[in-house]
Amino acid sequence: MLDVRDLNVFRGSTHVLKDVSFRVEEGELAALIGANGAGKSTTLLTLSGLLPPRSGTAVFTNDGEPLDLTRASSEKIVRAGLIQCPEGRQIFQSLSVSENLAMGAYTRRDRAGIKQSLEEVYELFPILAERANLHAGSLSGGEQMMLAIGRALLAQPRMLLLDEPSLGLAPLVVEKIFDVIARLKSTGVTIFLIEQNAAMALDIADVAYVMETGRIVLSGTGSELANNDRVRQSYLGVAA
Amino acid sequence: MSQYFFQQLINGFSLGSLYALVAIGFSMIYGIVRLINFAHGDVVMIGAFSTLALVTAGVPWPIILVFVLAVGAVAGMSIEMVVFRSIRGASQVTGFIATLAVSITIQNSALMLLSGQPRNFLFPAFMRQRVGVGGVNASLTDIAIIVLTLILIGGLFLIVYRTRLGTAMRATAENLTAARLMGVAVNRTVLAAFAIGSALAAVAGFFWGGKFGQIDPLLGFVPGLKAFVACVIGGVGSIGGAMMGGYILGLAEVLFVGLLPQEYSGYRDTFVFLLLIVILLVRPSGLFVRQVEERA
């Protein structure tokens, strides 16, 4: 579904992504783990068309229709069903909760379908229905994360890019978010998950990649990496 | 005394309407591109001269109003496409200099094209008659300005707070990256904000001649500056705040001149900018912007 090859991305004069290649198959949950500043978020911004790569290809294929992510506009990428739930949630604080969700459905025109998606999101996160008319900025951190995911779901993702969904949240909320991710996967949404919380990510991932200073240095199934000595030492806090 | 006061009140609301129309667009544009558009006042001038041209050509008034809205929208979109698009994301200083250049270009083109000679410009006689309501008498022009402005602002609020485009504009103004991740075509949204904001400024130009009786190619400078003051009063980037700031400024100015002894009236603009300085010192974020505290 997603095929990234030899991607090189610069931010200013800094060479952030170096020959990055990876694949995510349809229906899979793939995780990208790595330390802060390794280039994980840059990878996602590039996939969403917000950063033009210097070289390399990134092709997203949905229903047999390939889309070259290195050339397409962010608008077109969203319309193709590749949806990003960005780092730090980035909900629209000054908009109401329901307006935030409406923004998620911005590219959609099927009123009935939008209404149904909205009901599904409210069922998934009942607190959002309760707070529908409040300013999103007044929500707690966990509620804002639910809103960010709900907003992404309203776009009807075929593939969801999640950037650090556990960041700064209480353990109970993190568990809830990961439950939702697992549920999404079971409904057939392909997921590409970026996490610093490597243990949780590897636990639910089908495949995983480890990124260090802009390069993919390791890859394997979630359990393979969870048992890899290097990963255990560097990311799972297990002494050698 | 109270009749005189009410008359001044109407006068102040009418002037405040002009400031509000200009300030709202100024604020919308700042809100979405985070750059101050110093050429915004010149759209008022463009609106005023378009009105004059159409009046001279004998076009009926309602059609002139629609046409002036369109001219303003086109002027605003041109400014966005020619200048702002190429400096998107630039620093305030770049924006300041670039838009100052646009303003000077527009003013001097107008001077060459139209000459610096002020033109007399009056609304038709029936608009200039005064109507009395309970002892207070006001010119029909002032009343028309107040009412039409309220209608336009009402329409604007409907667009901004009740439509898909308006929601996208507010979302883009708050967080450009997140808006793009929602699939918002940011260029089109920014263009729409320039079109709407500048259309309102052009309508202020439509009223300008009617209210002051004279127009000239440099008339945009003062309303541009005062719109800036109005925005600071209300909170830059807030549409409701800009509107309130415009009305407060218009009322304050008229009441200052009308209620203080005659010999102070020459200090009208001094007073306006004194007000600006006081507000910058006391409430730099504006009177109507709540300090939104962000929760982690």
Side-chain angles (χ1 to χ4, degrees):
Chain A
M1 179 159 241
L2 178 66
D3 190 357
V4 175
R5 283 186 199 173
D6 301 322
L7 208 58
N8 281 283
V9 177
F10 285 71
R11 294 185 101 162
S13 57
T14 315
H15 194 172
V16 181
L17 297 187
K18 296 157 191 160
D19 297 320
V20 168
S21 302
F22 61 91
R23 289 172 64 88
V24 182
E25 304 297 336
E26 183 150 9
E28 244 179 17
L29 196 162
L32 179 65
I33 61 173
N36 222 345
K40 305 188 301 296
S41 293
T42 300
T43 308
L44 285 204
L45 290 178
T46 308
L47 294 180
S48 282
L50 297 188
L51 283 175
R54 184 72 56 93
S55 65
T57 60
V59 178
F60 174 68
T61 312
N62 181 25
D63 289 335
E65 273 193 51
L67 178 68
D68 180 355
L69 301 177
T70 62
R71 284 163 200 274
S73 67
S74 50
E75 186 196 352
K76 210 163 172 195
I77 293 170
V78 170
R79 282 180 194 279
L82 180 63
I83 310 299
Q84 178 169 170
C85 181
E87 185 181 20
R89 307 184 280 267
Q90 303 202 26
I91 55 157
F92 302 110
Q93 309 244 355
S94 62
L95 271 56
S96 70
V97 168
S98 60
E99 283 175 333
N100 267 277
L101 294 171
M103 282 308 294
Y106 185 77
T107 56
R108 292 172 66 185
R109 296 289 189 167
D110 54 325
R111 275 169 182 260
I114 294 174
K115 196 162 170 253
Q116 200 197 332
S117 301
L118 191 62
E119 275 162 18
E120 285 167 15
V121 166
Y122 282 156
E123 200 179 309
L124 205 54
F125 304 116
I127 191 83
L128 295 182
E130 272 171 47
R131 311 255 148 117
N133 295 319
L134 294 183
H135 276 247
S138 69
L139 301 182
S140 73
E143 289 161 359
Q144 290 192 7
M145 189 64 230
M146 294 176 203
L147 178 57
I149 291 182
R151 187 179 64 173
L153 292 183
L154 266 154
Q156 251 184 344
R158 294 295 306 133
M159 177 168 178
L160 189 59
L161 307 171
L162 285 164
D163 197 342
E164 303 267 11
S166 75
L167 195 71
L169 298 181
L172 265 177
V173 182
V174 174
E175 223 165 277
K176 162 97 183 161
I177 300 290
F178 271 76
D179 273 354
V180 169
I181 295 172
R183 254 172 88 173
L184 285 176
K185 190 201 166 209
S186 70
T187 63
V189 180
T190 308
I191 294 169
F192 188 56
L193 170 68
I194 282 188
E195 261 299 339
Q196 283 196 61
N197 187 338
M200 287 198 83
L202 293 179
D203 191 39
I204 61 169
D206 299 310
V207 291
Y209 298 89
V210 178
M211 185 173 257
E212 278 174 12
T213 59
R215 286 180 200 281
I216 303 272
V217 291
L218 271 176
S219 63
T221 66
S223 51
E224 273 169 19
L225 287 189
N227 291 312
N228 178 295
D229 283 342
R230 187 165 161 195
V231 172
R232 283 161 67 88
Q233 274 179 43
S234 307
Y235 301 104
L236 301 177
V238 180
Chain B
M1 176 62 201
S2 81
Q3 275 181 22
Y4 176 73
F5 179 74
F6 274 113
Q7 246 155 264
Q8 292 300 322
L9 218 54
I10 289 176
N11 205 354
F13 264 116
S14 148
L15 183 65
S17 299
L18 297 184
Y19 291 160
L21 283 172
V22 187
I24 286 172
F26 198 87
S27 194
M28 282 178 80
I29 290 169
Y30 179 83
I32 207 154
V33 292
R34 301 283 149 185
L35 292 173
I36 285 174
N37 178 12
F38 276 102
H40 191 61
D42 298 304
V43 179
V44 177
M45 182 272 292
I46 292 173
F49 275 94
S50 307
T51 309
L52 177 64
L54 292 165
V55 170
T56 314
V59 178
W61 285 94
I63 296 177
I64 295 183
L65 182 61
V66 173
F67 201 87
V68 167
L69 278 165
V71 167
V74 170
M77 290 192 288
S78 311
I79 292 172
E80 198 278 321
M81 285 194 285
V82 174
V83 187
F84 281 85
R85 195 158 291 188
S86 49
I87 58 167
R88 186 82 45 87
S91 68
Q92 287 289 346
V93 181
T94 310
F96 173 79
I97 293 171
T99 57
L100 206 58
V102 178
S103 173
I104 292 169
T105 308
I106 294 177
Q107 288 177 6
N108 284 286
S109 310
L111 278 174
M112 288 195 297
L113 222 68
L114 307 162
S115 96
Q117 194 70 34
R119 316 277 177 108
N120 288 325
F121 172 83
L122 290 169
F123 275 166
F126 79 89
M127 285 295 286
R128 279 178 280 137
Q129 64 186 326
R130 302 186 76 83
V131 287
V133 186
V136 181
N137 84 54
S139 85
L140 213 49
T141 302
D142 281 335
I143 294 171
I145 288 175
I146 293 170
V147 172
L148 270 173
T149 300
L150 285 175
I151 292 171
L152 286 169
I153 291 178
L156 172 82
F157 273 74
L158 280 181
I159 292 175
V160 172
Y161 290 98
R162 288 280 176 274
T163 67
R164 181 170 172 271
L165 172 70
T167 312
M169 286 199 301
R170 285 180 292 135
T172 307
E174 185 187 320
N175 187 332
L176 187 79
T177 305
R180 291 179 69 186
L181 289 176
M182 302 298 114
V184 175
V186 167
N187 276 347
R188 249 185 292 154
T189 310
V190 170
L191 207 56
F194 269 85
I196 295 171
S198 304
L200 293 180
V203 173
F206 170 90
F207 292 143
W208 201 268
K211 185 159 177 60
F212 299 110
Q214 236 183 23
I215 59 175
D216 70 83
L218 303 180
L219 74 83
F221 180 70
V222 171
L225 219 49
K226 294 211 173 144
F228 177 68
V229 178
C231 284
V232 173
I233 293 175
V236 183
S238 143
I239 293 174
M243 177 191 81
M244 294 302 287
Y247 282 122
I248 289 175
L249 188 63
L251 278 168
E253 221 183 288
V254 167
L255 294 181
F256 176 82
V257 175
L259 298 182
L260 285 179
Q262 194 99 61
E263 57 263 35
Y264 292 109
S265 64
Y267 293 104
R268 183 177 178 144
D269 286 349
T270 314
F271 168 72
V272 167
F273 291 102
L274 212 58
L275 192 66
L276 170 71
I277 292 169
V278 170
I279 287 181
L280 282 174
L281 286 174
V282 183
R283 285 210 51 147
S285 61
L287 299 181
F288 301 100
V289 172
R290 262 174 303 139
Q291 303 287 358
V292 183
E293 95 183 72
E294 284 186 23
R295 287 168 73 169

